[in-house]
Amino acid sequence: MKTEDDIKNAVEVLRRGGVILYPTDTVWGIGCDATNADAVARVYKIKRREDSKALICLVDSDARLQRYVRNVPSVAWELFDCVDKPTTVILDEAVNLAPNLVAADGSIGIRITQEAFSKSLCYRFQKAIVSTSANISGEPTAQNYCDISQEIIDAVDYVCWTRRQEHKPHRPSSIIKLGKGGEVEIIRK
């Protein structure tokens, strides 16, 4: 299957409120429309994860990020410009996202992806996409497609074909929380 067709199929499923499995700039992820509360609830159910544990989302550009955070602090832009590996930034004042995706304090973990497939997927979908590791909560992270349990595969509506044959080490993103007063907290290196 051509990558363009794979993206087209995934976008159709996302637009219908479905859940997908897809390769990201880090590990394989479970994804859905980050603005659709029912789809987000399904992701929590698939992962068997409490909805009090926030999920992150991916966007393709600076402009798209600004749709989902009321005021992006300048330190966030500096961070995005200088990091050399995938980095999720937790920002305050999330807007225009499913309420069950936003943390209790009003923050959201968001990452601007630079990897070709996930960037193109976000661009074609024109919205933020949930990105959480393709595993049951508490189980090992699925670095490659071959690491994903059949239970997870069976629970989603579409499994992307791109990069299924890949077998190399992948790591989750770094996570950095930016506080209201400009504090920087490293959650995961």
Side-chain angles (χ1 to χ4, degrees):
M1 176 182 292
K2 289 187 197 171
T3 300
E4 299 83 30
D5 294 332
D6 202 13
I7 289 170
K8 181 181 174 213
N9 294 341
V11 166
E12 286 174 8
V13 170
L14 291 168
R15 286 191 178 135
R16 290 193 313 259
V19 176
I20 64 170
L21 270 178
Y22 68 112
T24 75
D25 53 343
T26 58
V27 298
W28 270 75
I30 301 172
C32 71
D33 177 349
T35 67
N36 182 323
D38 291 337
V40 171
R42 269 193 67 208
V43 171
Y44 278 116
K45 186 176 179 184
I46 289 167
K47 283 189 67 77
R48 292 192 225 149
R49 184 174 179 156
E50 296 175 33
D51 62 7
S52 60
K53 294 186 84 175
L55 302 172
I56 66 166
C57 55
L58 293 183
V59 293
D60 63 315
S61 65
D62 294 357
R64 188 116 33 234
L65 176 121
Q66 289 178 300
R67 289 186 189 176
Y68 302 111
V69 177
R70 189 174 314 283
N71 295 302
V72 181
S74 58
V75 69
W77 296 122
E78 292 168 19
L79 191 59
F80 285 124
D81 287 342
C82 76
V83 294
D84 60 353
K85 67 179 188 172
T87 302
T88 300
V89 178
I90 299 172
L91 298 167
D92 291 322
E93 299 184 69
V95 293
N96 304 318
L97 292 166
N100 54 344
L101 182 62
V102 178
D105 66 358
S107 67
I108 186 67
I110 198 161
R111 186 166 74 244
I112 302 171
T113 182
Q114 301 301 327
E115 182 270 331
F117 183 84
S118 56
K119 187 175 187 78
S120 185
L121 180 66
C122 290
Y123 174 77
R124 297 274 180 236
F125 185 54
Q126 295 287 298
K127 292 183 188 179
I129 299 174
V130 166
S131 181
T132 183
S133 57
N135 61 309
I136 303 294
S137 280
E139 292 186 0
T141 301
Q143 294 183 36
N144 296 284
Y145 176 75
C146 62
D147 301 325
I148 303 171
S149 74
Q150 194 62 48
E151 179 181 356
I152 296 283
I153 293 168
D154 292 344
V156 302
D157 303 305
Y158 183 74
V159 180
C160 291
W161 287 92
T162 303
R163 290 179 39 206
R164 279 196 196 183
Q165 301 305 315
E166 185 176 86
H167 192 72
K168 63 183 189 178
H170 292 279
R171 298 186 53 182
S173 71
S174 297
I175 301 176
I176 297 173
K177 182 171 178 54
L178 299 181
K180 286 182 171 65
E183 313 84 32
V184 175
E185 180 184 355
I186 297 172
I187 307 291
R188 181 172 66 203
K189 284 188 177 189

